[in-house]
Amino acid sequence: MTIVPVALAALVGGAPLRLPGPLSPRNASYRITARLDERAHKVSGQLLLSWRNLERHPVRELVFHLYLNAFKNRASTFIREVGPQLRGDKMPEGGYGAIDVTALRVGRHDLLAQARLDDTLLTVPLPEPVGPSAAVQVEMDFVATLPKVFARSGYAGPFHAVAQWFPKIGVWDCRPSCRWRAHPYHGQTEFFADYGVYEVELDVPADMIVGATGVLEAERSEGGRRHLRFRAEDVHDFAWMADPRFVEVWDELHDAWGVVSLRLLTRPGSLGMNERHLQAVRQGLLELQRRFGPYPYSQLTIVVPPPDGSGAGGMEYPTLFATISGEAPRWLAFHDEVTLHELGHQYFYGILGTDEVEEAWLDEGLNQAFTTWAVERLRGPRCNIIRLPGLCLSQLDLEWLAARQAQRRMPIATPGFLFPPDSYGALTYSQTALVLRTLERHLGPARMEAGLRRYAERHRFGHPRGDDFMAAVNEGAGEDLRWFWDQALLSSRTADYAVLSATSTPHEPAYGLWDCPPRPPTAEDPAVRALIEESQRQACAGKPPGRHLMLPSRPARPDGPHDSQVWLQRRGELIFPVAVRLSFADGSTIVERWSLQEQQREPERRVRRFSYTGRPALRSVVVDPDQTLLLDERRLNNGLLLQPDPAPARRLWVSWLGLLQTVVDLLRA
Amino acid sequence: MWTTAFVRVLRRPALVLAVWLMTLLPALLASLPVLLWLKGLLDHRPAAAELARGEADPLLGEILQDQPAAVPLLLGSLLGAALPGWLLSAAASGGLLDALRRPGHPRRVVGRAVVVRMADTAPAMLRLWGAGLALRLPVVALLGGAGLALRKLLPGRGLSAAVVAVAATAVVGALLWSLLSVVLHYARLHRLGAPDRPGATWRALRGALRCTRQHLGPTLGLAAVSVLGLAVLVGVGRAVALHLDARPSIALAAVLGLGWRQLVALGRTGFHLALLAAVVEVADSQHPEQVSEIQATSMTNF
Ligand SMILES: [Zn+2]
């Protein structure tokens, strides 16, 4: 069987990398041949895994993920945890899937009988241990029965999303003590694997158009079948999607490191979005590279799954991702946002190979923060998701609204599968994004970018953890931010600063009963002494000796001197330095600070008073006026007006009244 | 026909004002709890100004999320405005139709007599309204079915297909609704001329269907113009209102917004009355035999 290299330059990606490799340890490399039976929706394959032990401790058994067994029956860990649904997407009736290993050899040893299968994990005892830096080769035959599209994988008619479809080895990790970092397929969390080289040969029906991880190296047709050979380097997974109805669109991104070929596989009914998806990818890639370093691969494939295969959409794989189908008007940017988010995963999980199971916030959360930046780059800072007359919402607004609704709080840095399902998304995605955007406003964009760049550069093609992230950002930003990380990531504290009360009364110390001539005041506080002396002067000027009653002769003027008092309250547990802006009747403002140190010194004193004597009447007080603390859960209580302003309520009421009249008029008969 | 109808309505400004007040008053009363609630929530908050200017829409989310009373309050306000509004409008429809008869018609009423006629005919008109609701249920069900079908059919067909499908459903739905309104007005005219006997409501409805068959063209025309006119009024009203709402001075925006919305409401009321007058014209003048029948029954009633 000879493989003829494809002549069409656009189709053959050439080398999978556009930067000199290897970029990663490449200790888990796969050679797979697989055949898709499109009628039975089965993929039968043979794989040869070359695995090297990167740790200084020997390995006595290997652990493999058999992810598709999550959909084998209702007793799987996945379905027991979240039910036969994922984020509202129901598992189709009768759409079960599974993966069966039919042969297993390590060297000369047939180990199929010894292997232990538990849910989605297959443990293979080794005939002899694999020592440090030693390698082992594992051969397996397997049959993957695809479910009806659900939770990322499966088929919908002729569309096949072949993901998490082959036995994939876990990560042998000795930090701090040795264990296989291989969790069962949880309902709420995703994946974790070592980097390697994937050489995958697919045998599909001749009319299938296939998008896959890596680049297409060679292609030939034979007996109504197509044989496609893909190659990917320095990646930790391989997925492919096949559909005869795909419409193929090519584009390119030229940047400082050369060219990235963009391959969009879309479909009728979504074609109107082609340019928007590609524009999002181009702008998103530029933003990713500006912030986190070069995209090292020569190709990126974007798949638009069919509407009945939406369970495969909004999902990321190395150099391949699935966005969502359909079209949207320009004022609505959900499609653009999904594309940017899945694109961002090329870094946050792809190039920065974090453990999506144990620390989901490191991929989803950081990626969601990136998504907000990218949406801003693409569509401006305001109204960048919904821009309608009468409704304006940005991605950051949506994150805030989602995060404040998380009822059951846990630290963000909690293993993903331990979150209650109603709070996982709000905390892992939205709250993490708000944490990082708050920090950005606190540090300033330049220091924030420096911190994140340090993280991205240091841990490229590694398996960084939360501690690595925090340490790198501390260094890059030039500040020990432990006070912030401890609260925002490692605790379940929430933030809510409020203006509790404010008063402002005319400054009238000279009124009342005064004995003239006055005696020098004895108060210890020099300010109080000065105040009394000044009042005595006013009260006794030109008066005969004796007791005199002093009364105001005219009503106090707002711009005359006033005594004002403001009480701030920290209603949440999270301590953050906040500014307070006070506006006075003469138009002047003062900005005060309730500092971190002061709040930390006496954390239980949750209120702070600011007092002023002699300034004009106080008009309004706003805590955190620049909205630095995006984590603040209640914004309405951040300010107080001393005189009520009835106009806003009236304005909104006018709209409501108009709406009521319109409804009554239109539906009367 | 429409010219005659509009002229007849323009000659009765007091009638237009009265009907406008009739929908304004329940809406005003039902909206007052919302005003009080908003005042308590916003009067002392600096952020309320941004909210009113449309610069802080997430705050709307905060309010809806944090105030469990918000949704019941708003729904209550909506029902509190709609139910009395619709009932009043239905009860008054007999008097209004008779007020809009062509001059010289034996049932025509003016001045105070309109109110007396409204009161006299209210029970019969309310019964007809109830029957009309039953007539509308299939339409609502049909539209619901179309909506469900669209949800199944539309994914994967692109935006323009979706826009066309939704717009077509909306137009067909509005036309059907409006057509039923015209038919109901015919039924009212039949009922107004008929004696109070058991089964009068159903006889009036049957008469209305007969009338519709006989005047199919003008009836469809009335329904179409009614949909078009209301759509224009609502569209222009909304566009200008949005413009006024965005004014920097919120107090001024509130006053201008209120004034403009009442102007539009007056416009809608005038248009509604013109539709009634046009219905009367169709029923009274285009087919002499129909007129004589109505007039004959009217005579027996007097
Ligand atoms: Zn994601």
Side-chain angles (χ1 to χ4, degrees):
Chain A
M1 170 163 99
T2 53
I3 289 197
V4 184
V6 181
L8 195 55
L11 274 177
V12 182
L17 292 179
R18 60 179 190 143
L19 299 181
L23 304 168
S24 71
R26 295 188 180 178
N27 66 308
S29 291
Y30 295 80
R31 191 171 288 173
I32 306 177
T33 54
R35 182 179 200 280
L36 170 68
D37 179 343
E38 77 285 4
R39 290 211 181 77
H41 310 293
K42 286 186 183 200
V43 178
S44 29
Q46 295 92 45
L47 74 75
L48 173 67
L49 163 69
S50 307
W51 184 82
R52 201 169 76 248
N53 183 357
L54 296 181
E55 297 289 350
R56 273 185 270 174
H57 299 270
V59 169
R60 291 189 169 77
E61 56 186 24
L62 303 178
V63 178
F64 289 86
H65 294 279
L66 302 182
Y67 286 118
L68 287 184
N69 283 344
F71 314 120
K72 193 169 179 182
N73 52 50
R74 296 287 178 107
S76 72
T77 303
F78 188 108
I79 294 178
R80 275 187 290 119
E81 283 178 351
V82 295
Q85 65 81 37
L86 190 64
R87 294 170 206 175
D89 184 31
K90 278 210 181 65
M91 182 166 176
E93 228 24 81
Y96 296 98
I99 174 169
D100 299 295
V101 175
T102 53
L104 200 173
R105 287 172 301 278
V106 176
R108 291 167 289 103
H109 304 272
D110 183 339
L111 298 178
L112 189 59
Q114 281 97 304
R116 300 188 308 272
L117 176 62
D118 180 12
D119 196 62
T120 55
L121 291 177
L122 181 77
T123 305
V124 180
L126 289 170
E128 55 227 40
V130 181
S133 300
V136 63
Q137 292 212 321
V138 184
E139 285 173 83
M140 283 190 194
D141 296 354
F142 63 93
V143 179
T145 306
L146 298 175
K148 286 183 188 165
V149 167
F150 171 62
R152 309 172 183 99
S153 315
Y155 67 93
F159 169 73
H160 291 77
V162 192
Q164 314 309 334
W165 57 289
F166 61 94
K168 193 160 71 178
I169 195 163
V171 175
W172 175 243
D173 179 81
C174 291
R175 189 163 68 122
S177 57
C178 293
R179 63 179 173 132
W180 278 98
R181 279 204 347 192
H183 292 270
Y185 195 175
H186 286 288
Q188 230 153 231
T189 56
E190 298 179 311
F191 316 105
F192 184 44
D194 276 329
Y195 291 94
V197 174
Y198 285 78
E199 293 169 271
V200 180
E201 199 174 318
L202 301 175
D203 171 356
V204 296
D207 61 344
M208 279 287 184
I209 298 168
V210 178
T213 297
V215 295
L216 180 63
E217 273 198 322
E219 178 183 20
R220 74 189 159 87
S221 298
E222 191 180 272
R225 307 283 297 179
R226 280 174 89 194
H227 298 259
L228 305 163
R229 200 177 69 205
F230 289 92
R231 182 180 176 85
E233 294 172 357
D234 300 305
V235 296
H236 50 55
D237 197 5
F238 186 97
W240 51 291
M241 299 197 183
D243 194 331
R245 302 165 299 178
F246 275 143
V247 174
E248 191 172 4
V249 182
W250 285 89
D251 193 12
E252 282 181 346
L253 176 81
H254 295 261
D255 59 22
W257 296 274
V259 184
V260 183
S261 300
L262 306 176
R263 184 185 186 214
L264 174 65
L265 295 176
T266 180
R267 61 190 55 253
S270 298
L271 300 179
M273 297 297 279
N274 288 0
E275 183 44 35
R276 273 171 72 177
H277 285 305
L278 289 169
Q279 172 75 353
V281 168
R282 287 191 302 260
Q283 291 297 318
L285 263 180
L286 292 174
E287 186 67 14
L288 278 165
Q289 299 193 110
R290 184 181 80 73
R291 287 175 179 271
F292 313 115
Y295 178 78
Y297 309 105
S298 56
Q299 189 176 320
L300 177 63
T301 302
I302 305 112
V303 174
V304 178
D308 58 351
S310 60
M315 187 55 205
E316 69 281 3
Y317 306 96
T319 78
L320 168 80
F321 69 83
T323 178
I324 48 173
S325 68
E327 295 181 354
R330 284 241 44 117
W331 57 262
L332 183 67
F334 283 129
H335 288 75
D336 316 65
E337 189 262 342
V338 171
T339 293
L340 286 169
H341 175 94
E342 305 315 331
L343 169 72
H345 276 302
Q346 291 306 316
Y347 284 67
F348 299 107
Y349 130 103
I351 295 169
L352 293 147
T354 51
D355 185 337
E356 296 187 293
V357 185
E358 297 190 1
E359 296 180 300
W361 65 275
L362 274 176
D363 62 294
E364 297 298 0
L366 266 59
N367 190 32
Q368 198 58 21
F370 159 74
T371 307
T372 63
W373 282 314
V375 172
E376 285 167 16
R377 174 178 178 132
L378 198 62
R379 294 173 64 97
R382 295 197 71 241
C383 323
N384 55 31
I385 294 296
I386 298 178
R387 184 192 294 273
L388 274 180
L391 186 62
C392 155
L393 287 171
S394 72
Q395 184 62 32
L396 207 51
D397 295 334
L398 295 179
E399 305 301 345
W400 181 71
L401 287 170
R404 70 194 299 282
Q405 265 196 306
Q407 295 295 321
R408 296 182 238 177
R409 290 278 168 181
M410 288 192 172
I412 284 173
T414 298
F417 52 88
L418 295 181
F419 282 101
D422 57 0
S423 300
Y424 169 71
L427 294 174
T428 306
Y429 292 64
S430 303
Q431 181 83 358
T432 311
L434 293 178
V435 165
L436 295 179
R437 295 300 305 259
T438 294
L439 191 62
E440 180 193 33
R441 293 187 178 190
H442 174 69
L443 295 171
R447 287 173 68 202
M448 185 68 192
E449 280 176 26
L452 289 177
R453 192 171 302 116
R454 181 72 58 98
Y455 166 66
E457 279 167 1
R458 179 178 296 170
H459 297 287
R460 221 170 145 81
F461 294 103
H463 294 316
R465 305 193 190 169
D467 295 338
D468 301 322
F469 170 76
M470 293 176 238
V473 175
N474 288 351
E475 280 179 38
E479 182 178 331
D480 185 355
L481 295 163
R482 221 173 319 167
W483 64 271
F484 183 67
W485 304 128
D486 283 353
Q487 299 187 91
L489 292 176
L490 306 176
S491 86
S492 60
R493 293 183 192 186
T494 57
D496 180 18
Y497 283 84
V499 181
L500 194 57
S501 68
T503 54
S504 193
T505 50
H507 174 71
E508 294 166 336
Y511 302 139
L513 292 172
W514 293 96
D515 295 316
C516 302
R519 271 182 229 150
T522 52
E524 268 180 44
D525 185 339
V528 175
R529 226 164 35 233
L531 181 73
I532 294 174
E533 277 168 359
E534 194 214 321
S535 312
Q536 288 172 335
R537 264 200 305 282
Q538 273 186 39
C540 295
K543 300 262 166 60
R547 178 165 286 191
H548 297 274
L549 173 63
M550 288 286 294
L551 284 175
S553 54
R554 54 188 160 74
R557 286 174 26 195
D559 54 353
H562 279 66
D563 293 325
S564 305
Q565 227 177 58
V566 172
W567 287 93
L568 298 189
Q569 186 186 25
R570 190 180 67 245
R571 295 192 173 176
E573 303 292 326
L574 190 136
I575 296 179
F576 196 81
V578 287
V580 194
R581 191 180 62 212
L582 303 110
S583 308
F584 295 92
D586 62 344
S588 65
T589 56
I590 325 180
V591 176
E592 300 275 6
R593 279 171 211 287
W594 192 6
S595 75
L596 182 67
Q597 291 71 25
E598 185 185 340
Q599 295 182 67
Q600 282 173 331
R601 217 163 28 240
E602 283 178 288
E604 284 310 308
R605 186 187 277 192
R606 299 155 84 68
V607 290
R608 167 75 152 88
R609 184 178 63 175
F610 294 93
S611 320
Y612 306 90
T613 295
R615 288 190 159 268
L618 183 63
R619 284 284 186 242
S620 74
V621 189
V622 179
V623 64
D624 193 23
D626 302 323
Q627 230 168 64
T628 303
L629 183 59
L630 285 166
L631 294 165
D632 192 325
E633 291 197 318
R634 271 168 287 272
R635 289 182 183 165
L636 205 55
N637 68 15
N638 282 21
L640 204 62
L641 293 174
L642 280 89
Q643 302 291 324
D645 174 9
R650 280 187 199 150
R651 223 308 275 123
L652 295 170
W653 167 77
V654 163
S655 290
W656 179 250
L657 177 64
L659 178 77
L660 292 184
Q661 286 175 281
T662 310
V663 168
V664 173
D665 282 358
L666 287 187
L667 296 181
R668 83 174 142 200
Chain B
M1 169 177 67
W2 276 101
T3 325
T4 321
F6 274 115
V7 169
R8 203 172 296 165
V9 170
L10 284 177
R11 295 228 172 101
R12 312 283 291 273
L15 199 64
V16 179
L17 278 176
V19 175
W20 162 68
L21 276 174
M22 215 165 62
T23 39
L24 174 62
L25 285 180
L28 203 63
L29 280 179
S31 73
L32 283 182
V34 174
L35 175 62
L36 292 179
W37 172 67
L38 286 172
K39 283 180 75 61
L41 215 55
L42 301 178
D43 273 6
H44 282 277
R45 298 302 181 187
E50 292 158 44
L51 183 66
R53 275 194 217 104
E55 292 164 0
D57 287 344
L59 272 182
L60 276 181
E62 172 178 335
I63 291 171
L64 289 177
Q65 285 175 358
D66 287 4
Q67 307 278 325
V71 173
L73 182 77
L74 294 175
L75 280 180
S77 168
L78 186 64
L79 281 180
L83 284 183
W86 291 332
L87 285 174
L88 267 176
S89 167
S93 55
L96 288 177
L97 282 166
D98 278 349
L100 293 165
R101 304 267 188 179
R102 49 173 43 184
H105 193 283
R107 286 197 64 89
R108 181 178 158 91
V109 281
V110 289
R112 293 260 170 80
V114 176
V115 182
V116 176
R117 181 64 55 83
M118 282 179 184
D120 284 349
T121 55
M125 291 300 114
L126 283 172
R127 273 197 295 279
L128 253 182
W129 179 71
L133 269 189
L135 219 72
R136 280 167 203 272
L137 281 182
V139 175
V140 174
L142 205 72
L143 287 179
L148 284 182
L150 280 181
R151 274 181 61 119
K152 281 244 182 286
L153 284 174
L154 279 183
R157 282 176 200 273
L159 180 65
S160 38
V163 168
V164 167
V166 170
T169 315
V171 168
V172 170
L175 274 176
L176 275 175
W177 185 271
S178 175
L179 182 66
L180 285 178
S181 294
V182 175
V183 173
L184 206 59
H185 293 322
Y186 288 151
R188 286 175 175 134
L189 285 170
H190 274 265
R191 182 68 187 82
L192 284 173
D196 287 324
R197 279 190 317 196
T201 301
W202 295 111
R203 266 194 298 281
L205 281 173
R206 273 206 310 278
L209 291 177
R210 226 173 30 240
C211 198
T212 308
R213 271 202 307 277
Q214 281 168 7
H215 311 285
L216 195 58
T219 304
L220 289 175
L222 284 178
V225 173
S226 151
V227 168
L228 199 70
L230 283 177
V232 167
L233 276 170
V234 169
V236 171
R238 179 97 187 108
V240 176
L242 277 171
H243 182 71
L244 293 176
D245 292 350
R247 296 191 75 81
S249 160
I250 298 167
L252 188 62
V255 173
L256 293 178
L258 184 64
W260 170 252
R261 282 170 170 92
Q262 295 322 310
L263 210 62
V264 175
L266 266 172
R268 282 195 305 264
T269 306
F271 185 73
H272 173 66
L273 291 179
L275 175 74
L276 292 189
V279 168
V280 169
E281 276 301 287
V282 169
D284 278 4
S285 69
Q286 282 199 332
H287 289 253
E289 73 279 12
Q290 191 69 22
V291 175
S292 62
E293 187 187 300
I294 291 174
Q295 280 175 344
T297 46
S298 310
M299 290 305 181
T300 59
N301 223 19
F302 264 81

